[in-house]
Amino acid sequence: MGSLRNPVGPLPSSIYWRRRAILVSVVVLAALLITWAVTAGGDAGGGEGAAGSDADARIPVPSITPGPSSSGPAISRAPGGRDEPDDEDAGDEEPAGRGSGSADPEESDATASDAPVVVGSDDVLPAGSGLEACAASAVEWRLRGTRETYPTDATPTLELTVRNTSDADCAIDLGPERVVLTITPEDDQDAYWSSGHCPEDPGSLAYRVPAGTAVTHTLRWDRGASAPKCGTPPAGKAGPGRYLAEAESPGLPAVRASFTLTDE
């Protein structure tokens, strides 16, 4: 213990104390370096963790948009880019088979009235019905063949359609005393057959024509000939060729239609 307090040696004691001080300084410095190294390593790891935490804090968390709920479709547009109609508009659409677009009531009425009602013997008005006759100014009529060409086994059939353009029902007489139908070969001026030559039933054939609508009276020709004043007609039947049919009635313009008879 004495040698630690009082250095023993050939050199002065101050030199030994100086050496001791340097040694102690070196040991202390080494301890400090070791302590700093350990502390710096821990701080570096902690700094990286902090840096990582800061970096994570700066990076925004991606948001997740929820998908469509079960209450609505995932696709809001139909294939091809055409929008599907809303539920409120879907009820306004016409059902399939009734046409495209919205139907106008006036157009629907006009279309319905364009389809004439076919009348026959069961629809003839009784005598003294009291229904006023249609005024000529309120009558539009036409004549047409049911076919363009009639082979030998087909009966030429004509339709006489009468439209009432007034706003009140009226009666139209299509009997042979009021309406005369003639059939003439295209290359001849004389009628081959006429309902006015010798009418079998010269009585009235009056039909009710409702306001704004039309009726159609059907006429059939057996291809036979006729002669004026119930004379004897030529024998045989009309041959192949083009024929002109014409209907006339007092106060109304004549209406015409043509058709062809074939030998097939």
Side-chain angles (χ1 to χ4, degrees):
M1 294 293 295
S3 60
L4 292 176
R5 295 180 180 179
N6 297 310
V8 178
L11 297 177
S13 60
S14 60
I15 293 176
Y16 291 107
W17 282 112
R18 192 176 297 118
R19 289 179 179 176
R20 290 180 179 180
I22 293 171
L23 179 60
V24 171
S25 298
V26 170
V27 172
V28 171
L29 180 60
L32 290 175
L33 289 175
I34 293 171
T35 302
W36 177 83
V38 173
T39 304
D43 291 342
E48 289 177 0
S53 300
D54 293 341
D56 293 341
R58 289 194 298 270
I59 297 175
V61 178
S63 60
I64 300 176
T65 304
S69 64
S70 59
S71 60
I75 301 175
S76 61
R77 295 178 67 86
R82 179 177 60 82
D83 288 333
E84 289 291 332
D86 296 335
D87 293 339
E88 296 179 358
D89 297 335
D92 297 335
E93 292 186 356
E94 292 291 334
R98 295 180 59 185
S100 60
S102 59
D104 184 77
E106 295 182 0
E107 292 181 358
S108 298
D109 293 340
T111 302
S113 63
D114 285 342
V117 177
V118 178
V119 293
S121 58
D122 294 340
D123 301 304
V124 176
L125 290 174
S129 65
L131 185 62
E132 186 176 355
C134 298
S137 60
V139 172
E140 294 178 353
W141 69 335
R142 68 173 185 175
L143 183 67
R144 62 179 292 272
T146 57
R147 297 173 61 172
E148 176 66 22
T149 301
Y150 295 93
T152 55
D153 59 348
T155 300
T157 304
L158 300 166
E159 292 181 342
L160 184 62
T161 300
V162 180
R163 178 172 298 280
N164 175 14
T165 62
S166 70
D167 56 0
D169 295 1
C170 60
I172 186 73
D173 189 352
L174 301 180
E177 291 185 350
R178 296 290 299 176
V179 177
V180 177
L181 177 68
T182 60
I183 298 178
T184 305
E186 189 177 49
D187 56 356
D188 196 347
Q189 294 183 351
D190 296 330
Y192 187 84
W193 177 89
S194 173
S195 63
H197 283 171
C198 187
E200 296 180 0
D201 185 5
S204 172
L205 288 177
Y207 299 100
R208 177 188 298 272
V209 187
T213 61
V215 298
T216 292
H217 179 53
T218 302
L219 304 166
R220 292 178 175 84
W221 177 44
D222 63 1
R223 301 185 186 227
S226 65
K229 298 180 181 180
C230 293
T232 302
K237 299 291 185 179
R242 190 75 173 170
Y243 289 81
L244 177 67
E246 180 179 77
E248 295 180 297
S249 183
L252 296 176
V255 288
R256 300 175 179 85
S258 60
F259 57 89
T260 300
L261 300 182
T262 68
D263 56 359
E264 297 178 354

